[in-house]
Amino acid sequence: MKTVEHLDGIGALASRYDVFLLDQFGVLHDGTSPYPGAVEALSALKRAHKTVVLISNSGKRAEPNEHRLLKLGFEAGSWDHFVSSGEVAWRSFHDMVAHGSLRPGTKCLLISRDDDRSAIEGLPFEPAKSGDDAELVLISASEGDRYDLDHYRRLLTPAAARRVPCFCTNPDKIMLTAVGPRFGAGRLADLYESLGGGVTRIGKPYLPIFTAALALAGDPDRSTVVCVGDSVEHDIAGGLGAGVATALVLSGILADTTDLAGLFDGLDAYPDYTIDLFRFR
């Protein structure tokens, strides 16, 4: 088994790496408030002249994610770029329409939170009323804190039965909510497949989102890059697949996990480092 080094904070990483690919949920904040020391740590990385790219399995586009960070108290300019799976997907859909592989007026069934439509704003889609008339399914988020899986099963079954193409722009299977961890959009993608449909997943751990993030960072030497996240399945496995160092923060979905070694073994994904909290010291 690989030796995993435990660090007190990211300050030690700042002396070893020049480019930081940072997750947001579970690392910088819990969706409601920043983790202790996270605001200061992110600003400290920029003061140390590091390139910081936030890379998130958020089904929303980059701009609304950045606005939320500012509202949570993170300092403007404390990151260089924001890459979300929703942004990657939006640009992909835009290109598909431009090249004729996706028809303008396509009826899209959007699964999101709080009726958020930002994932498809500016695209020539028409909203589908249900799975019965959908020509495309886009799973950008889950409301697993409001609905159970049976709710989504009823919604998705008609589309899956007709083999309607489905895209999932948030592969996370667990999400943090005000009432604790709940099933995420990735779990809904699994459900769609179990109902007979096919799913294209966009986001971590899949390589395209890392390729996009590294391109924005200037395509650096991979030995100078570290990916920091709270998910072994998405951040650590994805970072390893992209050929960069990885650091697992234990403040997010793994906060109550007692057998990290077993988790690493089970996923065959071992981080280079673990950190209790995203703080600089």
Side-chain angles (χ1 to χ4, degrees):
M1 176 180 171
K2 175 182 174 180
T3 300
V4 179
E5 183 180 356
H6 186 74
L7 303 174
D8 290 332
I10 63 162
L13 295 179
S15 65
R16 306 179 192 185
Y17 301 97
D18 298 323
V19 178
F20 285 71
L21 307 181
L22 303 180
D23 185 30
Q24 58 163 339
F25 283 97
V27 174
L28 300 180
H29 62 84
D30 62 5
T32 303
S33 58
Y35 288 112
V39 171
E40 297 79 8
L42 192 61
S43 296
L45 282 179
K46 284 310 301 171
R47 287 196 301 272
H49 307 294
K50 304 302 176 181
T51 299
V52 176
V53 182
L54 303 184
I55 176 171
S56 173
N57 275 0
S58 168
K60 294 182 179 181
R61 295 189 66 189
E63 186 175 352
N65 275 289
E66 293 182 292
H67 285 164
R68 175 173 49 200
L69 288 174
L70 295 175
K71 286 183 178 180
L72 289 175
F74 288 91
E75 182 183 353
S78 58
W79 63 91
D80 296 288
H81 306 283
F82 196 111
V83 180
S84 70
S85 48
E87 183 72 30
V88 173
W90 190 96
R91 294 181 182 277
S92 176
F93 289 141
H94 183 273
D95 289 344
M96 290 167 69
V97 172
H99 296 146
S101 57
L102 193 59
R103 178 181 59 81
T106 295
K107 292 183 178 179
C108 177
L109 177 62
L110 175 63
I111 310 294
S112 64
R113 285 185 68 81
D114 304 319
D115 199 32
D116 177 71
R117 313 292 297 180
S118 63
I120 59 172
E121 285 178 353
L123 294 172
F125 294 160
E126 293 182 7
K129 295 179 181 178
S130 69
D132 292 297
D133 66 339
E135 298 172 299
L136 175 72
V137 176
L138 175 56
I139 304 174
S140 71
S142 160
E143 291 186 303
D145 48 345
R146 295 181 58 191
Y147 302 112
D148 60 17
L149 281 174
D150 283 338
H151 164 82
Y152 288 106
R153 183 175 287 107
R154 291 190 294 270
L155 183 63
L156 294 171
T157 292
R162 292 186 293 112
R163 303 294 196 271
V164 172
C166 175
F167 292 81
C168 176
T169 56
N170 187 340
D172 291 354
K173 296 180 181 180
I174 301 173
M175 65 174 180
L176 299 174
T177 76
V179 294
R182 293 293 186 270
F183 62 83
R187 179 66 183 86
L188 300 182
D190 291 347
L191 173 64
Y192 195 79
E193 287 181 325
S194 75
L195 295 170
V199 179
T200 299
R201 291 170 175 81
I202 300 174
K204 300 175 289 185
Y206 305 105
L207 187 58
I209 194 169
F210 287 93
T211 300
L214 290 166
L216 287 172
D219 197 23
D221 186 310
R222 300 302 187 263
S223 67
T224 68
V225 182
V226 61
C227 175
V228 183
D230 72 321
S231 168
V232 178
E233 182 178 4
H234 299 103
D235 301 301
I236 304 307
L240 291 171
V244 303
T246 59
L248 181 68
V249 177
L250 304 176
S251 57
I253 60 173
L254 300 179
D256 298 322
T257 300
T258 56
D259 184 15
L260 286 174
L263 182 61
F264 300 156
D265 287 340
L267 293 170
D268 193 25
Y270 304 87
D272 296 286
Y273 313 97
T274 57
I275 308 171
D276 290 327
L277 277 172
F278 186 81
R279 56 191 175 192
F280 200 76
R281 68 178 182 178

